[in-house]
């Protein structure tokens, strides 16, 4: 596979639509397209300026027009990939679009692999690795908050934060190895204590940044959340309140919900993939028991557990059993009724306790706040840059660990050279994250998760 051979792919979803777009990119792409595209005005794409369009036909193997399309010409380096490119806006049917692509492939283009256009944009210096990765976040954004974050990332916030970390790590490296490496420069060595402190602080910042991954996930992809509790405490009422519709049946009969009812909702800007479950109780009847088993399985798999208790009743064994799953958020429901519950055992287990009336929605704002806190989404208000992918998290963790290891070596009195090895590794982990020093395997791995045509 050549670095800049001509690739082509359909960039829009398969389905009937007004238009679909086929992208073509690579060295000689314009002349190649001229082989199958006949402009109405007789002009050749290869003679057109960048950012100009032409109406014309794509001609099939048999010499007949397949479709009438608009071709937009992009000239290197002013295109998404940085190469000469053409985008054909075809009529948006699956069959007709496939025939247009086929004509382009017959004329010499190669079917692009997933993410290959973005990969070229990265390799040609049009996008940093984090910017390229954030293109996917923009595409996948499911909420206003997710889109805002993705756009910030695409604007290079993480890159700026990483280059600041890299600059500081390099500065420490220069100072601790001052005497060994730069005797003539007259650079002063940091005292060991100062170097250790700086390294630890920097390590913490890398790990902090790596830690933003969970919160980012909460805002972009959603968190597997289970609403659990004893029968009749108001789980389904809460589910309906959060989803703003009658997702689950509510009744005063204990054991109403038996299947797992699911709904994806936004709570405080966080996307929750909610599962309302059968109420837990001892010795349920046969069908209900199946439901309880399902609840227990969901409880052990969920990332976030919202435990619901009936505040108007004393705590029972089924309530205590739920606490064994360490729910992060406890809802003391039915706050409109006289309260009889002892919250102390709940307080011992749960980070957040919220008094609520699911029937009226009172306390919902407190729940939203708790959700933002517990998922780490709250930290995003003014965080500069965040970690959006597992690759970024892995690099930042390695950088953080390398810097901490260097601090330990210095602290134990080892030679500065030994600490320098760890600092260099930390710097190269940061470079891998930003893409300035990354192996082709890693690049292929990242871009292969993108869709074809992206
Ligand atoms: N007073 C009062 N009643 C509530 C409140 N929330 C729910 N209820 C009532 O409690 C009863 C049970 O509500 P559900 O939402 O069905 O409870 P559940 O936990 O899903 O019950 P199961 O599915 O049987 O486990 C219904 O009669 C609701 O109207 C509340 O905040 N205050
Ligand atoms: Mg229910």
């Amino acid at each position: 596979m050549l670095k800049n051979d001509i690739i082509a792919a359909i960039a829009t979803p398969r389905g009937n639509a007004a238009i679909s777009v086929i992208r073509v990119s690579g060295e000689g792409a314009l002349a190649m397209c001229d082989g199958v595209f006949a402009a109405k005005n007789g002009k050749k794409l290869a003679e057109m300026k960048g950012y100009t369009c032409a109406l014309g036909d794509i001609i099939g193997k048999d010499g007949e027009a397949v479709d009438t399309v608009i071709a937009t010409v992009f000239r290197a380096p002013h295109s998404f990939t940085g190469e000469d490119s053409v985008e054909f806006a075809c009529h948006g049917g699956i069959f007709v679009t496939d025939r247009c692509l086929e004509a382009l492939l017959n004329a010499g283009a190669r079917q692009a692999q997933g993410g290959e256009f973005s990969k070229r944009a990265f390799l040609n210096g049009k996008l940093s690795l984090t910017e390229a990765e954030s293109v996917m976040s923009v595409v996948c954004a499911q909420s206003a908050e997710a889109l805002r974050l993705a756009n910030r990332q695409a604007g290079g916030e993480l890159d700026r934060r990483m280059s600041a970390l890299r600059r500081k790590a390099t500065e420490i490296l220069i100072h601790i190895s001052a005497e060994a490496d730069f005797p003539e420069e007259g650079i002063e060595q940091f005292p060991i204590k100062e170097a250790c402190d700086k390294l630890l602080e920097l390590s913490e910042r890398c790990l902090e940044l790596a830690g933003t991954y969970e919160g980012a996930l909460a805002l972009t992809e959603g968190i597997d959340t289970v609403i659990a509790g004893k029968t009749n405490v108001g789980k389904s009422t809460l589910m309906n309140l959060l989803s703003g519709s009658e997702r689950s049946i509510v009744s005063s009969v204990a054991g109403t919900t038996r299947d797992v009812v699911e709904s994806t909702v936004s709570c405080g800007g966080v996307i929750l993939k909610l599962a309302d479950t059968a109420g837990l109780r001892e010795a349920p009847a046969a069908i209900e028991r199946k439901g309880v088993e399902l609840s227990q399985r969901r409880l052990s798999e969920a990332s976030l557990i919202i435990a619901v208790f009936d505040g108007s009743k004393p705590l029972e064994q089924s309530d205590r059993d739920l606490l064994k799953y360490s729910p992060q958020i406890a809802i003391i429901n039915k706050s409109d009724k006289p309260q009889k519950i002892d919250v102390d055992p709940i307080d011992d287990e749960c980070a957040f306790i919220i008094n609520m009336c699911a029937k009226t929605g009172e306390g919902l704002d407190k729940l939203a706040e708790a959700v933002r806190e517990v998922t780490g989404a709250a930290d995003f208000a003014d965080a500069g840059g965040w970690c959006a992918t597992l690759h970024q998290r892995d690099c930042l963790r390695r950088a953080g660990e390398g810097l901490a290891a260097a601090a330990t070596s210095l602290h134990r009195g080892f030679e500065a050279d030994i600490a320098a090895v760890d600092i260099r590794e930390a710097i190269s982990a940061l470079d891998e994250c930003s893409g300035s020093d990354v192996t082709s395997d890693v690049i292929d791995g990242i871009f292969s998760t993108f869709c074809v045509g992206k």
Side-chain angles (χ1 to χ4, degrees):
M1 200 182 303
L2 295 170
K3 220 176 99 216
N4 53 0
D5 63 337
I6 303 170
I7 52 172
I10 300 167
T12 40
R14 287 177 73 75
N16 290 336
I19 55 168
S20 58
V21 172
I22 299 178
R23 267 182 167 166
V24 184
S25 183
E27 197 176 316
L30 306 185
M32 184 226 83
C33 289
D34 277 327
V36 283
F37 176 74
K40 301 277 184 198
N41 64 8
K43 256 198 178 175
K44 291 283 171 206
L45 296 172
E47 293 159 6
M48 286 166 55
K49 285 189 183 154
Y51 303 138
T52 58
C53 317
L55 177 71
D57 290 334
I58 289 193
I59 310 295
K61 248 190 188 162
D62 53 7
E64 286 202 21
V66 177
D67 192 15
T68 302
V69 302
I70 290 180
T72 308
V73 171
F74 300 87
R75 284 196 173 267
H78 305 293
S79 68
F80 177 71
T81 54
E83 303 168 333
D84 278 348
S85 307
V86 183
E87 279 184 14
F88 291 101
C90 319
H91 286 95
I94 295 176
F95 187 77
V96 66
T97 310
D98 280 351
R99 292 291 80 73
C100 290
L101 177 65
E102 191 180 84
L104 289 160
L105 298 180
N106 286 336
R110 168 171 65 76
Q111 167 69 54
Q113 295 171 345
E116 206 170 356
F117 292 92
S118 303
K119 180 169 144 185
R120 288 186 176 196
F122 163 68
L123 292 174
N124 291 327
K126 301 291 289 185
L127 288 174
S128 75
L129 196 57
T130 49
E131 283 165 343
E133 285 176 296
S134 61
V135 169
M136 265 328 266
S137 308
V138 172
V139 172
C140 298
Q142 298 179 62
S143 70
E145 189 123 6
L147 180 59
R148 191 174 59 81
L149 279 174
N151 279 328
R152 271 170 50 179
Q153 192 86 320
E157 278 194 25
L158 179 62
D159 283 333
R160 282 192 286 282
R161 218 166 140 182
M162 279 192 309
S163 59
L165 292 170
R166 188 191 195 286
R167 202 175 49 244
K168 292 204 171 104
T170 310
E171 197 182 299
I172 302 174
L173 181 64
I174 290 172
H175 282 272
I176 66 159
S177 40
E179 276 176 11
D181 296 349
F182 310 95
E184 72 285 0
E185 306 271 329
I187 299 171
E188 263 181 55
Q189 241 182 318
F190 281 160
I192 298 293
K193 166 93 175 63
E194 191 183 333
C196 283
D197 289 349
K198 281 182 192 286
L199 283 168
L200 286 176
E201 191 200 320
L202 214 52
S203 158
E204 212 162 282
R205 285 213 222 143
C206 290
L207 297 175
E208 229 174 63
L209 200 52
T212 57
Y213 177 73
E214 304 295 336
L217 212 60
L219 289 168
T220 53
E221 308 227 336
I223 301 268
D224 280 322
T225 307
V226 58
I227 303 178
K230 210 169 56 183
T231 51
N232 230 19
V233 292
K235 299 178 296 298
S236 300
T237 311
L238 177 67
M239 170 72 153
N240 292 347
L241 175 71
L242 287 169
S243 61
S245 67
E246 296 259 317
R247 290 290 296 132
S248 291
I249 298 172
V250 167
S251 93
S252 57
V253 179
T256 304
T257 308
R258 287 161 180 202
D259 282 320
V260 175
V261 180
E262 296 180 310
S263 179
T264 299
V265 308
S266 167
C267 181
V270 175
I271 297 165
L272 298 182
K273 293 192 256 180
L274 286 180
D276 174 22
T277 55
L280 305 173
R281 68 167 151 185
E282 284 161 85
I287 300 175
E288 205 185 330
R289 189 166 57 241
K290 288 245 179 238
V292 172
E293 281 165 17
L294 273 181
S295 306
Q296 286 162 339
R297 192 176 329 144
R298 287 294 181 121
L299 273 166
S300 44
E301 289 167 357
S303 304
L304 173 61
I305 299 174
I306 301 180
V308 185
F309 301 90
D310 184 342
S312 69
K313 301 229 171 91
L315 213 60
E316 286 178 8
Q317 190 51 44
S318 311
D319 294 313
R320 291 178 200 275
D321 288 346
L322 177 59
L323 291 174
K324 288 180 200 147
Y325 292 94
S326 303
Q328 294 94 328
I329 300 178
I331 305 269
I332 313 294
N333 194 31
K334 311 199 185 181
S335 61
D336 53 320
K337 288 179 154 182
Q339 299 293 289
K340 292 200 183 127
I341 197 165
D342 169 17
V343 293
D344 286 348
I346 302 174
D347 206 10
D348 290 343
E349 284 300 329
C350 305
F352 293 88
I353 297 191
I354 294 144
N355 291 303
M356 241 186 122
C357 177
K359 230 177 176 173
T360 62
E362 204 186 307
L364 186 58
D365 49 341
K366 294 265 174 352
L367 174 60
E369 235 170 76
V371 164
R372 288 182 68 79
E373 288 289 334
V374 95
T375 56
D379 305 336
F380 275 82
D382 41 33
W386 46 282
C387 173
T389 66
L390 281 172
H391 167 247
Q392 291 167 358
R393 182 175 75 173
D394 172 56
C395 293
L396 285 161
R397 275 188 181 166
R398 275 191 280 135
E401 283 158 13
L403 293 166
T408 309
S409 301
L410 283 184
H411 183 72
R412 290 193 182 149
F414 293 151
E415 294 273 323
D417 281 357
I418 294 178
V421 171
D422 284 321
I423 301 177
R424 282 202 189 89
E425 267 178 24
I427 291 173
S428 92
L430 288 172
D431 286 343
E432 190 187 314
C433 190
S434 65
S436 56
D437 178 19
V438 68
T439 63
S440 58
D441 285 357
V442 171
I443 294 177
D444 290 347
I446 289 171
F447 287 103
S448 66
T449 62
F450 285 34
C451 37
V452 172
K454 184 70 246 159

